[in-house]
């Protein structure tokens, strides 16, 4: 004879309590690690590298939304990363020039092709305009592109190829505009950040704190999208687009929102990348970097925010470590990681916990009873 124990009235079962506090507890742990532990234990050089990796993690958060939840294989995030980065770098270069009494950035003086600042550079002298453009410009480009693409019901491999072609086109255009964009070199030797000298280690640490706080904030905002009604609708569009259209929703608008938000996050990451590294160039925004953004999310787990962030940081760290030792082989290894993640572990490393839990709860024999 067995008895069944029921929880007392008004009390929440322990597993439900753990589930309720898992997300805020994980966020608090991440904040402690990023804002407290890392600055204490890492030297300045390693901390600057981590700041760079966290910028990639911000892009991965957008990839998790667009690809992990929306099924949009965004292979052109380098476009939006570059737009945000160049918008920030243009303002910082103008500020550096003004600090030395010059009206033109140093590379324009070197090439000597013009005595006047190009008209499209002039608004970026305003810091508020430049900050707004780091996010709004990528979102505007994504809105125009996504409107026509999703209205034409372009999806799958065709959408991935189109977004990748856009990244290649932007990189080629930037290289060809040497007199106004720095060409292959890009915008380099950025020394100031809104009045602060980036050569000072204290200011570099401040930049790191800004990037870490931005990552935590965007993770909170995107998770709210995940659990909202829109997040459920986005998953429904990914799984059965025609059924969603039959229910009266326009899948094009649903996908467009995810694409635009992901573009804005990539632009924000590019803007923060500039003061962290001091450079932005076409080499950082072309096809290979765009694929790298997706690989990080795929390896960590594109449907999991934490998995995408950890995967982006891990892949970026691995690239920095192995690309110096194996410069010719790293690109092939990067492609292999993507194939293995998509083909054999679609949920990424984040799914290993769920797989292990399912194996533990699976009955050992067909005759076993609860």
């Amino acid at each position: 004879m067995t008895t069944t124990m029921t929880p007392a009235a008004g009390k929440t079962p322990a597993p439900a309590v753990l589930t309720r506090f898992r997300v805020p507890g994980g966020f608090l742990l991440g904040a402690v690690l990023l804002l407290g532990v890392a600055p204490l234990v890492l030297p300045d050089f390693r901390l600057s590298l981590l700041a760079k990796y966290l910028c990639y993690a911000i892009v991965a958060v957008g990839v998790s939304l667009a690809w992990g939840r929306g099924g949009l294989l965004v292979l052109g995030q380098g476009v939006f990363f570059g737009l945000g980065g160049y918008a920030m770098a243009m303002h910082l270069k103008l500020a550096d020039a003004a600090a030395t009494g010059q009206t033109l950035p140093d590379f324009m003086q070197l090439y000597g092709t013009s005595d006047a600042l190009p008209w499209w550079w002039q608004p970026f002298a305003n810091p508020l305009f430049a900050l707004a453009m780091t996010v709004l410009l990528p979102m505007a480009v994504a809105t125009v592109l996504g409107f026509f693409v999703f209205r034409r019901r372009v999806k799958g491999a065709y959408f991935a190829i189109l977004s990748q072609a856009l990244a290649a086109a932007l990189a080629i255009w930037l290289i060809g505009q040497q007199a106004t964009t720095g060409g292959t070199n890009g915008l380099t030797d950025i020394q100031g950040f809104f009045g602060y000298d980036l050569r000072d280690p204290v200011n570099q640490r401040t930049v790191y704190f800004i990037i870490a706080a931005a990552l935590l904030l965007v993770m909170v905002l995107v998770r709210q999208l995940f659990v909202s009604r829109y997040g459920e609708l986005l998953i429904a569009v990914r799984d059965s687009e025609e059924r969603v259209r039959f229910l009266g929703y326009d899948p094009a608008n649903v996908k467009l929102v995810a694409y635009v938000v992901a573009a804005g996050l990539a632009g924000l990451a590019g803007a923060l990348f500039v003061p962290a590294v001091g450079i932005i160039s076409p080499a950082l925004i072309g096809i290979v970097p765009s694929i790298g953004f997706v690989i990080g999310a795929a390896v960590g787990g594109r449907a999991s925010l934490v998995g995408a962030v950890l995967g982006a940081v891990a892949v970026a760290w691995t690239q920095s470590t192995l690309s110096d030792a194996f410069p010719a082989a790293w690109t092939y290894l990067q492609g292999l990681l993507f194939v293995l993640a998509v083909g054999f572990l679609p949920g990424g490393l984040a799914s290993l916990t769920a797989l292990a839990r399912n194996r533990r709860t699976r009955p050992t024999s067909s005759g076993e009873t609860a």
Side-chain angles (χ1 to χ4, degrees):
M1 179 177 180
T2 59
T3 59
T4 302
M5 300 297 294
T6 58
K11 293 186 177 181
T12 305
V17 174
L18 294 177
T19 302
R20 179 183 303 175
F21 291 100
R22 182 180 61 185
V23 173
F27 177 81
L28 180 60
L29 176 61
V32 170
L33 291 175
L34 289 177
L35 301 177
V37 177
L40 289 178
V41 302
L42 294 179
D44 292 337
F45 175 72
R46 296 296 179 184
L47 196 66
S48 65
L49 282 180
L50 181 57
K52 172 183 172 181
Y53 302 157
L54 294 184
C55 292
Y56 297 154
I58 294 176
V59 182
V61 171
V63 173
S64 179
L65 174 67
W67 185 29
R69 293 300 173 109
L72 304 173
L73 183 53
V74 283
L75 292 179
Q77 292 304 93
V79 172
F80 311 118
F81 185 86
L83 290 174
Y86 269 88
M88 175 63 76
M90 288 165 65
H91 170 73
L92 297 182
K93 291 297 289 184
L94 290 175
D96 287 348
T100 60
Q102 304 293 330
T103 58
L104 296 177
D106 50 6
F107 73 94
M108 290 187 184
Q109 299 178 37
L110 177 64
Y111 298 139
T113 57
S114 176
D115 295 331
L117 190 67
W119 64 268
W120 52 278
W121 269 74
Q122 295 174 10
F124 289 92
N126 187 309
L128 295 179
F129 178 85
L131 285 174
M133 286 299 101
T134 60
V135 176
L136 295 182
L137 182 59
M139 294 180 73
V141 173
T143 300
V144 174
L145 178 65
F147 178 82
F148 291 104
V149 168
F150 298 136
R151 290 293 174 185
R152 299 290 297 179
R153 301 188 184 181
V154 177
K155 54 186 177 181
Y158 300 102
F159 173 77
I161 294 172
L162 179 62
S163 61
Q164 197 172 58
L166 184 63
L170 178 62
I172 293 172
W173 181 82
L174 290 171
I175 292 173
Q177 305 298 315
Q178 186 172 10
T180 54
T181 65
T184 305
N185 295 328
L187 304 181
T188 63
D189 193 27
I190 295 173
Q191 301 179 1
F193 182 64
F194 295 96
Y196 294 94
D197 188 356
L198 289 176
R199 293 167 294 186
D200 187 341
V202 175
N203 294 334
Q204 277 289 344
R205 283 182 167 258
T206 302
V207 171
Y208 166 80
F209 282 115
I210 293 174
I211 294 173
L215 173 61
L216 293 171
L217 178 60
V218 300
M219 289 183 68
V220 170
L221 295 178
V222 172
R223 187 185 179 279
Q224 290 303 113
L225 283 179
F226 277 14
V227 300
S228 67
R229 182 179 179 84
Y230 168 78
E232 296 176 354
L233 187 59
L234 183 61
I235 294 176
V237 170
R238 179 197 65 190
D239 295 340
S240 182
E241 184 172 327
E242 293 303 323
R243 181 174 297 179
V244 171
R245 184 177 287 109
F246 176 77
L247 293 175
Y249 295 97
D250 189 350
N253 292 336
V254 177
K255 292 189 288 188
L256 180 62
V257 171
Y259 187 53
V260 170
V261 172
L265 294 180
L268 174 64
L272 295 173
F273 180 88
V274 171
V277 181
I279 182 176
I280 188 72
S281 71
L284 297 168
I285 65 176
I287 293 178
V288 174
S290 296
I291 296 177
F293 293 142
V294 175
I295 290 175
V299 170
R302 62 180 183 267
S304 166
L305 282 179
V306 176
V309 167
L310 294 179
V313 173
V315 170
W317 177 82
T318 305
Q319 179 180 6
S320 298
T321 304
L322 297 182
S323 60
D324 292 336
F326 309 100
W330 165 248
T331 303
Y332 299 102
L333 177 59
Q334 194 177 38
L336 179 62
L337 284 174
F338 183 68
V339 172
L340 292 176
V342 174
F344 299 96
L345 195 63
L349 296 178
S351 64
L352 293 178
T353 303
L355 292 175
R357 187 186 305 116
N358 292 338
R359 178 169 297 183
R360 287 197 306 266
T361 58
R362 186 181 303 166
T364 56
S365 63
S366 58
E368 182 177 348
T369 57

